[in-house]
Amino acid sequence: MVNAVTSAAPDVGLHVGVLLDTGPTAEEVAAMTDLFRQRGMTAVAEGHSYGGPPPTSAFLIVLTAPLAPFLDGFADDADGWRSLRELVDALQAMRSDPGRWGRAHEVRLEDASSGHAVALEPDLPEAAYRALMEVDLSGLDQWSIPVRLEWQQARLTWTARMTTVPLRFSRRPP
């Protein structure tokens, strides 16, 4: 059973795709649907081979939604960081059975239209969720170079790592 959400649910009004490294069970679909509905969102869950076949796609849950509106919906509430953490913890708990998985999955928030993402590793500290609510995403749009936001524990800050490098077209097409 998934832990119940204890904080206020922000009204995000978004549709979220939940991509799992193996197809979800009926129980997981029901639990995920409820987790997102409690936060004013709809969700659909499906399996994926994100990054290739296992094991390269293993231990990853991808939430696809417009990144800034998704995070803004949580940031608008004083306890929104807690609601986001509870959501991520609940998703990771579904895929942390030591007998089946061996470890919890990373949850990746990803904007499919721009390629920007946020990596939410298992056991991310409270400070990371609080700081994520303060990150200015206004410069990350569909035309900017895709980045992945990662928590740097040593510096207690989020950093952006480019996931692609822009290349000029260096020769004429055939």
Side-chain angles (χ1 to χ4, degrees), residues 107-124:
V107 172
R108 183 179 300 163
L109 307 176
E110 184 174 274
D111 190 324
S113 67
S114 67
H116 301 304
V118 178
L120 301 172
E121 299 285 340
D123 301 321
L124 202 58

Side-chain angles (χ1 to χ4, degrees), residues 8-130:
D11 184 15
V12 183
L14 293 175
H15 179 74
V16 179
V18 182
L19 306 176
L20 300 164
D21 54 358
T22 60
T25 65
E27 294 81 20
E28 287 176 325
V29 169
M32 284 180 218
T33 301
D34 189 48
L35 284 171
F36 286 95
R37 185 176 53 244
Q38 291 173 23
R39 290 162 177 84
M41 295 178 258
T42 59
V44 62
E46 59 186 293
H48 72 80
S49 356
Y50 208 84
T56 58
S57 67
F59 308 111
L60 181 62
I61 299 170
V62 180
L63 304 182
T64 60
L67 194 55
F70 181 86
L71 289 174
D72 284 350
F74 290 98
D76 287 344
D77 179 6
D79 266 351
W81 69 269
R82 188 181 319 272
S83 182
L84 177 60
R85 182 178 189 171
E86 289 171 352
L87 172 67
V88 170
D89 287 350
L91 291 170
Q92 289 170 332
M94 289 181 202
R95 295 289 173 115
S96 63
D97 175 16
R100 183 167 184 204
W101 304 105
R103 61 182 168 125
H105 287 44
E106 172 189 319
V107 172
R108 183 179 300 163
L109 307 176
E110 184 174 274
D111 190 324
S113 67
S114 67
H116 301 304
V118 178
L120 301 172
E121 299 285 340
D123 301 321
L124 202 58
E126 176 182 313
Y129 286 94
R130 287 180 179 269

